[in-house]
Amino acid sequence: MLQDAGAIDSVRLARAYLSAIALGLTNPLTVILFLAALHAFSTQAAAAPLIAGVFVGSAVWWTMLSTIVATMRSRLTPRMLSLSSRFASLMLLGLGTTMLLRIAQRAFG
């Protein structure tokens, strides 16, 4: 039995929306800002604009990021994607090493 196209589209839309929320929750800065906003909300009357700003900022960030990735993905060759993955891996390795060295310096220095 074939499903109605509207039902399929609504399922896809709901899944995309929930995926966007899940991605937003994986952004540590968003989580920290929401926690700060909730604390401010409990102590100040002017916290609603702060909470709205955090929400809008997170939504704009993910919209920009997904748009850039979607645009660039179609223009990159598999070789370029492989090189960018290697470069990102090296950057993460360098940042992680730097953090571990700083922790070791503070602990033992």
Side-chain angles (χ1 to χ4, degrees):
M1 180 173 180
L2 294 175
Q3 292 182 343
D4 183 22
I8 293 172
D9 287 343
S10 67
V11 169
R12 288 183 184 162
L13 184 60
R15 185 174 290 158
Y17 178 72
L18 291 175
S19 295
I21 288 175
L23 279 173
L25 292 176
T26 61
N27 184 352
L29 185 59
T30 299
V31 173
I32 290 168
L33 289 175
F34 266 114
L35 290 174
L38 288 176
H39 175 69
F41 184 70
S42 66
T43 59
Q44 296 178 3
L50 176 64
I51 294 171
V54 169
F55 177 77
V56 170
S58 181
V60 168
W61 165 250
W62 281 111
T63 301
M64 285 178 17
L65 186 63
S66 61
T67 302
I68 290 169
V69 168
T71 303
M72 295 304 293
R73 185 178 178 125
S74 64
R75 296 181 182 174
L76 296 176
T77 64
R79 185 177 191 289
M80 292 171 70
L81 285 173
S82 175
L83 287 174
S84 69
S85 293
R86 289 179 183 170
F87 178 72
S89 298
L90 288 173
M91 291 289 292
L92 287 172
L93 180 66
L95 289 171
T97 303
T98 302
M99 290 179 67
L100 287 175
L101 288 174
R102 287 186 181 179
I103 290 170
Q105 285 177 345
R106 288 184 182 171
F108 303 112

